[in-house]
């Protein structure tokens, strides 16, 4: 490991190794080679980071920062992200195998999150209340919660971090970040920009390591709010931990989202949309449209068209702009995806295309799984109910609109849904009837910094993006002012 690139954690404005010297390797999923090593944080490191954030929140200059000051720093951070976007994109690709054609645009768009929440920092966040009490003025103010633990996943490490970091900082909180152990380097490279932008020491801290580090951070009594993106199983554990001390949480969790195709849809467009919904990012997105619900009248035609286009998807080097699908991010996830393919076969689903490693010898070292389509799937199968988080689409028949809604909503999740139809009345009905936090009509997988994102049911708690996100990082305080001897004698009701 001495020949690998070496990175350190950021705690209280200082770059540090782990207190016990421990580290772990970052593996490139395209060639299976280690390319960097990163500190494995200890309990001492986590405690130091939380205490640094607490000092910055309560005693440091951040505690007295004005909305204008926070907005200025966020705008500077946005400018620096734009200046360093190529490097930030390259590092993410080395870590998780996402495509340059996707990551480049996504990374450049991160600056827009900074600019949007810079504006939100200066937006009015209180209200005057029309009370029924004479000679009393009442109003509300929003104040930061305190120290925020931001625990982020490996599939879009910087985008999903900025979804948390920007509103948290705009509201006046301090932050301790714990990135996934699969993708820690991109967060550490981004952290170099905090000091350059002018954020005071301790306002933003980064600790790196595996699951136990995140558990330590979630359980730390100095953490006031936990913002987590990841699996529903881990999210439930975090919620239970937070409940012991009534810490605030926002959880963006798993999904098994339906992509519903009606007979009146533009079928070539719908096929392209379904392809994008499940095979973009190698299916490793919480919003992946992994359940493809197709009306029985067009089922066979659609499955054939979907399979033909799926077979044409070009796998290859994620840094090649011509590549259409990259690798699975890590060995554990690769093994999980292949195991679910075997589960689908054992359940009686029909393998239409894919289902194994590609045969191309140029891809032999990478964690590649062929884009896979199963048909003849019913909604009670495990492959239709459990989140695979990989390039596996299951196609399910439905008979009519009511049947589509019933199948779509018959899931523990409720993150997203797509609908493909030319019938505008049906589109509006489906938006109302689908139990999902986002519904796309004749498109899929679109997000933006102005649009709130989050799930129903076991897909999470709270919303990220949009002005709603500020509410997730603030507490509401009500103030009452006596403007004219409004207090009566409590022992003389006529007074």
């Amino acid at each position: 490991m001495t020949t690998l690139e070496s990175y350190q954690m950021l705690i209280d404005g200082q770059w540090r190794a782990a207190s016990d010297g421990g580290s772990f390797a970052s593996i490139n999923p395209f060639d299976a080679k280690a390319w960097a090593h990163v500190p494995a944080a200890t309990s001492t490191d986590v405690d130091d980071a939380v205490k640094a954030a607490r000092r910055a929140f309560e005693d440091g200059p951040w505690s007295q920062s004005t909305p204008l000051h926070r907005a200025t720093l966020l705008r500077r951070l946005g400018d620096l992200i734009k200046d360093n976007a190529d490097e930030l994109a390259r590092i993410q690709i080395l870590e998780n195998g996402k495509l340059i054609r996707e990551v480049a645009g996504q990374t450049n768009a991160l600056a827009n999150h900074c600019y949007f929440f810079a504006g939100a920092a200066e937006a009015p966040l209180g209200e005057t209340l029309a009370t029924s009490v004479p000679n009393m003025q009442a109003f509300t103010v929003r104040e930061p919660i305190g120290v925020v633990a931001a625990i982020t996943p490996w599939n879009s490490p910087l985008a999903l971090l900025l979804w948390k970091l920007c509103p948290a900082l705009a509201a006046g909180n301090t932050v301790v970040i714990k990135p996934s152990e699969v993708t820690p380097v991109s967060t550490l490279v981004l952290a170099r920009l905090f000091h350059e932008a002018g954020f005071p020491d301790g306002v933003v801290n980064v600790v790196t390591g595996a699951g136990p580090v995140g558990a330590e951070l979630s359980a730390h009594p100095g953490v006031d709010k936990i913002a987590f993106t990841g699996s529903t199983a881990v999210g439930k554990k975090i919620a239970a931990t937070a409940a012991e001390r009534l810490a605030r949480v926002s959880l963006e969790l798993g999904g098994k989202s339906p992509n519903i195709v009606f007979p009146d849809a533009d079928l070539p467009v719908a096929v392209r949309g379904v392809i994008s919904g499940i095979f973009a990012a190698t299916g490793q997105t919480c919003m992946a449209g992994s359940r493809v619900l197709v009306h029985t009248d067009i089922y066979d035609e659609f499955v054939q068209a979907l399979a033909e286009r799926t077979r044409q998807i070009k796998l290859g080097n994620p840094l090649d702009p011509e590549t259409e699908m990259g690798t699975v991010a890590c060995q554990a996830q690769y093994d999980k995806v292949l195991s679910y393919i075997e589960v689908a076969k054992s359940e009686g689903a029909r393998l239409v295309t894919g289902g194994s490693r590609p045969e191309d010898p140029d891809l032999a070292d990478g964690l590649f799984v062929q884009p896979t389509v199963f048909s003849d799937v019913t909604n009670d199968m495990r492959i239709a109910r459990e989140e695979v988080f990989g390039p596996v689409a299951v196609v399910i028949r439905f008979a009519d609109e009511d049947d589509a809604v019933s199948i779509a909503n018959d899931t523990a999740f409720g993150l997203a849904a797509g609908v493909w139809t030319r019938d505008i009345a049906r589109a509006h009905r489906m938006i109302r009837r689908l139990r999902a936090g986002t519904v796309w009509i004749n498109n899929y997988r679109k997000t933006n910094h102005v649009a709130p994102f989050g799930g129903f049911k076991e897909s999470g708690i709270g919303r990220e993006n949009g002005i709603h996100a500020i509410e997730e990082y603030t507490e509401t305080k009500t103030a009452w002012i006596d403007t004219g001897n409004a207090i009566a004698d409590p022992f003389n009701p006529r007074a």
Side-chain angles (χ1 to χ4, degrees):
M1 293 182 65
T2 57
T3 62
L4 306 184
E5 297 183 43
S6 180
Y7 293 86
Q8 293 182 308
M9 299 181 292
L10 179 64
I11 298 176
D12 204 12
Q14 303 297 314
W15 294 101
R16 292 174 30 171
S19 59
D20 65 356
S23 66
F24 61 97
S26 179
I27 308 297
N28 184 336
F30 176 64
D31 59 15
K33 293 180 180 178
W35 65 278
H37 65 88
V38 178
T42 66
S43 298
T44 298
D45 299 322
V46 171
D47 188 55
D48 287 349
V50 174
K51 287 178 178 176
R54 175 63 59 193
R55 287 192 299 270
F57 178 73
E58 294 183 348
D59 305 321
W62 197 247
S63 64
Q64 302 300 318
S65 64
T66 64
L68 174 60
H69 180 58
R70 298 195 294 272
T72 299
L73 297 184
L74 282 168
R75 291 188 181 99
R76 288 180 188 166
L77 180 61
D79 292 343
L80 289 168
I81 287 174
K82 290 175 67 175
D83 292 343
N84 292 273
D86 290 346
E87 176 67 3
L88 292 170
R90 184 186 72 86
I91 294 294
Q92 290 179 88
I93 294 165
L94 291 177
E95 291 186 301
N96 69 6
K98 287 187 78 169
L99 303 184
I100 185 64
R101 63 196 292 173
E102 180 174 3
V103 176
Q106 188 183 68
T107 304
N108 273 290
L110 297 180
N112 294 332
H113 286 76
C114 298
Y115 302 146
F116 176 82
F117 284 103
E122 298 184 275
L125 292 177
E127 56 188 346
T128 300
L129 306 176
T131 74
S132 59
V133 182
N135 298 319
M136 277 285 185
Q137 175 67 60
F139 60 90
T140 64
V141 294
R142 284 193 173 270
E143 297 183 354
I145 294 174
V147 175
V148 174
I151 303 175
T152 56
W154 45 257
N155 56 328
S156 292
L158 295 189
L160 296 175
L161 169 58
L162 268 290
W163 286 18
K164 298 163 179 54
L165 186 69
C166 289
L169 294 175
N173 300 279
T174 57
V175 184
V176 180
I177 303 165
K178 207 297 281 187
S180 166
E181 66 273 21
V182 177
T183 54
V185 179
S186 52
T187 297
L188 294 172
V189 173
L190 176 68
R192 295 171 179 171
L193 306 181
F194 301 142
H195 178 74
E196 192 173 345
F199 286 93
D201 294 348
V203 172
V204 180
N205 308 270
V206 183
V207 292
T208 52
V213 178
E216 288 269 0
L217 184 58
S218 299
H220 198 289
V223 170
D224 302 299
K225 154 81 186 246
I226 306 161
F228 171 77
T229 297
S231 72
T232 294
V234 175
K236 288 179 178 180
K237 293 179 181 178
I238 288 174
T241 298
E244 293 180 2
R245 64 180 193 280
L246 294 181
R248 306 296 187 262
V249 295
S250 55
L251 307 170
E252 201 269 277
L253 306 177
K256 196 69 180 176
S257 299
N259 215 347
I260 307 168
V261 185
F262 285 94
D264 65 334
D266 184 323
L267 289 191
V269 172
V271 168
R272 291 196 296 271
V274 167
I275 290 279
S276 175
I278 182 57
F279 297 131
T282 319
Q284 298 169 121
T285 63
C286 53
M287 66 186 82
S290 53
R291 287 189 300 152
V292 184
L293 278 54
V294 181
H295 192 278
T296 189
D297 289 351
I298 59 169
Y299 186 89
D300 293 337
E301 177 186 1
F302 189 89
V303 168
Q304 181 179 349
L306 178 63
E308 288 177 358
R309 178 63 185 92
T310 298
R311 294 187 188 104
Q312 297 169 11
I313 293 174
K314 180 180 178 181
L315 278 63
N317 189 335
L319 289 167
D320 182 349
E322 298 300 315
T323 299
E324 293 181 321
M325 199 179 89
T327 65
V328 175
C330 62
Q331 185 68 48
Q333 189 60 27
Y334 174 80
D335 294 340
K336 176 185 174 183
V337 172
L338 291 181
S339 72
Y340 267 108
I341 289 173
E342 294 307 310
V343 166
K345 293 177 183 178
S346 70
E347 291 180 317
R350 183 171 70 90
L351 178 63
V352 179
T353 188
S356 63
R357 287 187 56 87
E359 297 179 356
D360 186 345
D362 292 337
L363 307 180
D365 294 332
L367 299 176
F368 287 95
V369 176
Q370 292 175 325
T372 299
V373 176
F374 283 99
S375 68
D376 299 337
V377 175
T378 57
N379 205 49
D380 58 345
M381 294 180 178
R382 282 183 61 197
I383 195 67
R385 306 200 71 79
E386 299 175 16
E387 187 176 37
V388 177
F389 218 69
V392 181
V394 299
V395 191
I396 302 172
R397 294 177 185 267
F398 71 86
D400 53 28
E401 186 175 312
D402 288 341
D403 192 30
V405 170
S406 176
I407 295 170
N409 288 341
D410 180 18
T411 174
F413 302 105
L415 190 59
V419 177
W420 301 85
T421 180
R422 291 188 176 99
D423 185 335
I424 190 64
R426 172 186 284 143
H428 279 279
R429 290 195 301 271
M430 294 297 287
I431 289 170
R432 292 288 188 177
R433 299 181 71 186
L434 291 170
R435 296 286 295 166
T438 296
V439 179
W440 292 287
I441 304 296
N442 295 327
N443 67 98
Y444 202 89
R445 211 169 158 261
K446 303 297 183 185
T447 61
N448 191 265
H449 54 275
V450 305
F453 185 83
F456 290 15
K457 298 187 279 187
E458 292 191 11
S459 285
I461 298 171
R463 292 296 180 268
E464 298 188 297
N465 294 339
I467 201 66
H468 299 75
I470 290 286
E471 299 173 3
E472 302 289 340
Y473 294 92
T474 56
E475 298 274 26
T476 300
K477 178 181 289 183
T478 302
W480 291 82
I481 299 178
D482 185 343
T483 61
N485 193 27
I487 302 297
D489 183 345
F491 302 107
N492 183 1
R494 298 182 180 181

